[in-house]
């Protein structure tokens, strides 16, 4: 009963504020600062609604899954609404911060340009570099797990590489491999190799001693031991590296494009449109990058859930 | 122990050897092309002799990089724009400021998340999502936009560093603050300790080992943020500006020496954090020997 009341109050103030920000001509906060009082009202009611939704989500009722998802969405809605109304209410210059609505419309009006950029940066550079870097990291870790010498030499190097800013090699790679996507892929290979190597090595070494003995008593061949015991045990670590690398790869490609690129690509788009003060286009490109990053991360997380359904980390998540 | 040092030393030797070999191949190839274009005669020995002394090599040999490092670090006054120390200090400033801000923000968010279930449900997904967004991509824009408002120099770069370094701190601190021994928690409950006392007498201490592990990741990330933030500021200085101007003018030795300096700075910063960790945790008898 009480929760319905709060929800209604929230919806009411939410609608009124969005109506104001959409209908009234820009600059309304300057003229009538009283309207600013709507914000505390909205925040208080939103906080109430979110805590109610959270409590409902924790109870494990049939609809709990949806209420758990809706909590962060409400939070994002509040942020977006504040952004939109503040920008138009105070007439913030377009160059500084375009309102979200302009960004979304820029996104839909320039889909062909954005798609070409996406293809150049993501489908060519990121995918190629990611696949090569992760595969080579995995293969070297597989070799190193048997050799103490390789481990002793490569592990300190991996630790060292994690402390240094590897994106700095971007100008060198651009010089060696040219302006096209190959140089970006090369940067990504170097960036993704060591996280994959270190994680796979840790994973392959984490095999339970009892399990090793068990496989020995079954007279399992090396291949069998690897595919049925070592690899499954290492998978959580490998997925961890894959997830870290998916973000690193996108960053590497975009930063490398600042150092030289053909006239297409997400990094190129950002740096040129900043120069031309087309901020909505810049933010639309960032939106593409954010979507690409989040979707690839989410896809990897789903894949992890599907392949590691038997592992304690995933089972624990489901129970919660 | 000996085995370890042998492996590391032999790896370093192999890398340096391969470096000289590649420098010879890549620069030599360039030289040979040059000679043939001008129809000049060349012998292998003359190419080998020249390959390590090219002014703008494809790959400078290690001694050329060390030479450049020595010149720009020791033989140039620190106030001069040609001094690498000058640029390193600029980068160091924004790294440290961003790191401090990021750590403070990270701890704050973690404390909020641990104490408030609603904050956790609404914020945690966005904390994770924030790292899948390649913020480094918009780093130049943040610098340009804040510059237009009149915020130039240190602050915009530190904001980027902050954004990159808060995440590991938040994740580590949430884990750490929750890692307090349940027996201890129950003991404090029987003393009827409130949340405030629980935090300062137990949780804060159980979180410290986790905090230091995240600080090491965070400070490396802050350095990356500072360097990328310097890319669009052009001539203003910093290691990132050094990289960019080196790539514009084809000054490869300059790029490599800036890169070496960045690597050195990164490892020194991480080493300092782990030193602080050792000192602090040893005083509590927690250090892993």
């Amino acid at each position: 009963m009480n929760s319905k009341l709060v929800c209604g109050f929230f919806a009411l103030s939410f609608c009124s504020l969005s109506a104001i920000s959409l209908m009234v001509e820009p600059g309304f906060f300057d003229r009538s600062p009283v309207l600013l009082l709507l914000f505390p009202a909205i925040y208080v009611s939103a906080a109430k609604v979110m805590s109610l939704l959270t409590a409902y989500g924790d109870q494990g009722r049939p609809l709990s899954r949806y209420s758990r998802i809706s909590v962060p969405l409400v939070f994002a809605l509040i942020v977006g609404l504040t952004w939109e109304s503040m920008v138009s209410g105070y007439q913030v210059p377009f160059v500084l911060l375009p309102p979200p609505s302009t960004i979304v419309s820029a996104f839909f009006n320039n889909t062909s340009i954005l798609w070409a950029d996406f293809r150049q940066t993501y489908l060519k550079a990121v995918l190629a570099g990611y696949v090569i870097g992760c595969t080579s990291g995995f293969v070297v870790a597989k070799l190193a797990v048997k050799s103490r010498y390789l481990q002793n030499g490569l592990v300190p190097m991996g630790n060292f590489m994690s402390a240094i800013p590897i994106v700095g090699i971007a100008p060198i790679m651009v010089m060696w491999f040219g302006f096209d996507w190959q140089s970006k892929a090369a940067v990504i290979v170097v960036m993704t190799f060591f996280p994959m190597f270190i994680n796979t090595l840790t994973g392959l070494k984490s095999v339970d001693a009892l399990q090793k003995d068990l496989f020995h008593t079954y007279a399992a061949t090396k291949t069998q031991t690897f595919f049925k015991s070592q690899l499954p045990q290492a998978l959580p670590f490998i997925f961890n590296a894959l997830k870290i690398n998916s973000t690193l790869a996108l960053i590497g490609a975009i930063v490398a494009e600042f150092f030289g690129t053909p006239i297409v690509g997400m990094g190129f788009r950002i740096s040129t449109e900043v120069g031309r003060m087309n901020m909505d286009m810049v933010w639309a490109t960032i939106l593409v990058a954010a979507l690409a990053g989040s979707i690839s991360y989410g896809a990897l997380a789903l894949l992890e859930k599907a392949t590691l359904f038997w592992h304690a980390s995933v089972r624990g998540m489901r129970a919660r | 122990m000996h085995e370890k040092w042998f492996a590391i030393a032999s790896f370093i030797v192999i890398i340096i050897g391969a470096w000289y070999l590649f420098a010879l191949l890549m620069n030599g190839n360039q030289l040979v092309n040059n000679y043939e274009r001008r129809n000049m005669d060349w012998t292998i020995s003359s190419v080998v002799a020249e390959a390590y002394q090219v002014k703008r090599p494809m790959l400078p040999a290690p001694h050329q990089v060390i030479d450049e490092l020595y010149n720009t670090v020791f033989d140039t006054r620190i106030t001069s724009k040609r001094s690498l120390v000058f640029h390193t200090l600029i980068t160091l400033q924004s790294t440290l400021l961003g790191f401090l801000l990021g750590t403070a923000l990270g701890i704050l968010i973690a404390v909020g998340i641990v104490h408030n279930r609603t904050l956790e449900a609404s914020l945690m997904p966005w904390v994770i999502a924030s790292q899948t967004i390649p913020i480094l991509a918009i780093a130049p824009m943040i610098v340009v936009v804040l510059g237009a408002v009149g915020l130039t120099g240190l602050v915009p770069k530190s904001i980027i560093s902050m954004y990159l370094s808060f995440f590991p701190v938040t994740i580590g601190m949430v884990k750490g603050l929750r890692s307090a021994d349940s027996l201890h928690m129950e003991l404090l409950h029987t003393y009827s300790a409130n949340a405030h006392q629980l935090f300062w007498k137990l949780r804060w201490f159980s979180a410290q080992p986790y905090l230091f592990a995240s600080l090491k990741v965070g400070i490396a990330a802050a350095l990356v943020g500072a360097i990328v933030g310097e890319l669009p500021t052009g001539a203003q200085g910093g290691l990132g500006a050094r990289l960019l101007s080196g790539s514009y003018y084809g000054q490869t030795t300059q790029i490599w020496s800036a890169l070496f300096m960045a690597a050195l700075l990164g490892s020194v910063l991480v080493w300092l954090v782990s030193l602080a960790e050792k000192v602090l945790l040893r005083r509590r008898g927690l250090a892993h020997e």
Side-chain angles (χ1 to χ4, degrees):
Chain A
M1 161 54 201
N2 188 23
S3 69
K4 272 182 194 152
L5 246 166
V6 175
C7 271
F9 178 56
F10 166 71
L12 202 72
S13 45
F14 178 82
C15 289
S16 58
L17 194 71
S18 19
I20 289 169
S21 60
L22 291 179
M23 312 250 235
V24 184
E25 72 272 31
F28 51 87
F29 281 150
D30 272 335
R31 261 173 270 125
S32 45
V34 183
L35 286 176
L36 279 175
L37 286 178
L38 269 173
F39 279 106
I42 277 211
Y43 291 151
V44 169
S45 48
K48 264 274 166 56
V49 166
M50 282 196 287
S51 65
L52 282 173
L53 281 175
T54 313
Y56 187 77
D58 289 343
Q59 279 167 6
R61 298 240 191 96
L63 287 175
S64 284
R65 252 183 84 203
Y66 300 102
S67 80
R68 262 206 301 272
I69 298 172
S70 65
V71 176
L73 289 183
V74 172
F75 185 78
L77 208 62
I78 296 299
V79 173
L81 187 71
T82 313
W83 180 355
E84 176 87 38
S85 59
M86 279 292 176
V87 166
S88 60
Y90 279 117
Q91 281 187 305
V92 177
F94 182 72
V95 191
L96 282 187
L97 195 64
S101 52
T102 340
I103 297 167
V104 173
S105 70
F107 177 80
F108 284 109
N109 289 338
N110 298 295
T111 36
S112 61
I113 299 178
L114 291 173
W115 170 248
D117 291 341
F118 178 76
R119 207 174 50 187
Q120 169 76 16
T121 305
Y122 196 87
L123 296 184
K124 287 183 185 166
V126 170
L127 278 188
Y130 184 74
V131 169
I132 297 173
C134 289
T135 321
S136 52
F138 179 82
V139 170
V140 175
K142 168 86 178 65
L143 293 176
V145 79
K146 282 196 206 107
S147 143
R148 282 205 68 78
Y149 172 73
L150 275 182
Q151 277 180 42
N152 284 335
L154 280 174
V155 171
M157 218 158 90
N159 290 335
F160 174 71
M161 292 293 262
S162 73
I164 69 174
I166 304 182
V167 273
I169 63 164
I172 296 162
M173 292 299 163
V174 170
M175 197 171 62
W176 286 357
F177 295 99
F179 278 180
D180 212 350
W181 60 270
Q182 288 88 344
S183 58
K184 283 82 200 172
V187 176
I188 296 168
V189 169
V190 181
M191 281 175 87
T192 52
F193 175 81
F194 277 103
M196 191 64 186
F197 168 74
I198 297 277
N199 270 292
T200 312
L201 189 65
T202 323
L204 289 176
K205 278 165 73 181
S206 74
V207 177
D208 190 29
L210 273 177
Q211 212 178 67
K212 220 187 236 170
D213 290 346
L214 182 68
F215 271 75
H216 195 65
T217 60
Y218 288 164
T221 61
K222 272 183 184 165
T223 335
Q224 283 171 330
T225 316
F226 178 72
F227 280 108
K228 299 203 164 153
S229 158
Q230 279 186 311
L231 189 62
Q233 294 288 323
L235 271 181
F237 293 88
I238 294 172
F239 269 110
N240 191 20
L242 284 177
K243 283 195 270 187
I244 296 173
N245 281 345
S246 74
T247 325
L248 279 181
L250 203 49
I251 290 176
I254 292 176
V255 172
E257 284 182 358
F258 293 151
F259 288 99
T261 173
I263 51 161
V264 62
M266 279 145 79
F268 167 80
R269 192 66 53 204
I270 290 173
S271 47
T272 40
E273 300 292 339
V274 164
R276 290 163 61 189
M277 293 288 174
N278 273 343
M279 283 305 159
D280 52 344
M281 197 59 193
V282 177
W283 281 94
T285 308
I286 291 165
L287 183 64
V288 174
L291 283 177
S294 315
I295 288 174
S296 33
Y297 190 93
L300 282 169
L302 282 182
L303 189 68
E304 180 181 15
K305 231 176 167 179
T307 40
L308 284 178
F309 58 90
W310 49 270
H311 195 267
S313 63
V314 176
R315 290 212 318 255
M317 244 159 60
R318 204 184 303 156
R320 205 157 18 112
Chain B
M1 207 57 214
H2 282 301
E3 201 186 347
K4 264 193 182 155
W5 284 114
F6 170 72
I8 295 173
S10 64
F11 259 81
I12 292 174
V13 169
I14 291 170
I15 288 171
I16 293 178
W19 190 343
Y20 270 108
L21 186 70
F22 274 104
L24 177 64
L25 289 178
M26 294 174 86
N27 301 336
N29 197 20
Q30 213 180 8
L31 282 172
V32 169
N33 284 342
N34 229 339
Y35 283 137
E36 285 183 346
R37 216 181 313 134
R38 285 190 244 147
N39 288 324
M40 281 162 67
D41 287 332
W42 55 276
T43 58
I44 290 181
S45 61
S46 75
V47 168
V48 171
E50 248 182 276
Y52 294 127
Q53 274 140 34
V54 189
K55 260 243 154 120
R56 289 178 178 181
M58 284 286 273
L59 175 62
H63 67 261
Q64 281 178 300
V65 177
I66 290 171
D67 229 32
E68 165 90 5
L69 267 175
Y70 186 85
N71 282 336
T72 46
V73 171
F74 295 108
D75 286 356
T76 325
R77 274 186 303 117
I78 290 182
T79 46
S80 151
K81 275 213 161 174
R82 306 185 58 137
S83 162
L84 201 57
V85 181
F86 170 79
H87 293 285
T88 311
L89 285 177
I90 291 180
T91 305
L92 182 64
Q93 276 177 344
S94 48
T95 305
L96 288 182
L97 182 62
F99 173 65
L100 288 180
L101 290 176
T103 307
L105 181 71
I107 293 178
L108 214 68
I109 293 180
V111 170
I113 282 177
V114 167
H115 285 103
N116 188 330
R117 179 74 184 96
T118 309
L119 264 186
E120 181 185 8
S122 57
L123 221 53
M124 205 56 178
W126 292 112
V127 168
I128 293 169
S130 77
Q131 300 303 303
T132 66
I133 298 168
I135 183 73
L136 279 183
I138 64 168
M141 202 194 56
I142 294 176
V143 173
V144 171
V145 166
L146 288 183
V149 202
L151 271 177
T152 49
L154 210 58
V155 180
K157 287 188 279 173
S158 333
I159 286 177
I160 296 157
S161 298
M162 178 185 90
Y163 187 94
L164 283 180
S165 58
F166 96 95
F167 174 73
V169 176
T170 304
I171 297 294
M173 276 304 271
V174 168
K175 231 183 203 166
L177 289 172
R178 289 208 169 127
S179 73
D181 188 27
S182 59
L183 271 179
H184 292 165
M185 290 284 267
E186 279 162 23
L187 180 68
L188 281 184
H189 272 303
T190 62
Y191 292 161
S192 94
N194 55 26
H196 188 253
Q197 288 167 322
L198 208 60
F199 181 82
W200 285 113
K201 299 203 154 116
L202 181 59
R203 282 199 151 143
W204 173 242
F205 293 99
S206 73
Q208 275 176 16
Y210 291 85
L211 176 64
F212 276 109
S214 343
L215 286 185
K216 277 187 245 172
V217 181
I219 200 158
L223 180 61
V224 175
I227 288 180
V228 176
E230 280 158 359
L231 291 181
T233 53
Q236 284 183 20
L239 290 175
R242 242 356 222 188
L243 284 178
L244 196 70
S245 71
S247 100
Y248 277 168
Y249 302 114
Q251 299 285 356
T252 28
T253 36
Q254 184 184 322
I255 299 179
W256 279 94
S257 59
L259 210 56
F260 264 64
M261 204 56 175
L264 189 70
L265 186 62
S267 28
V268 167
L269 287 175
V270 172
W271 176 74
L272 280 177
V273 173
S274 51
L275 197 71
E277 176 186 21
K278 259 189 196 144
V279 170
L280 231 124
L281 294 189
R282 181 171 296 159
R283 271 175 51 197
R284 296 179 42 206
L286 260 179
H288 314 286
E289 290 305 324

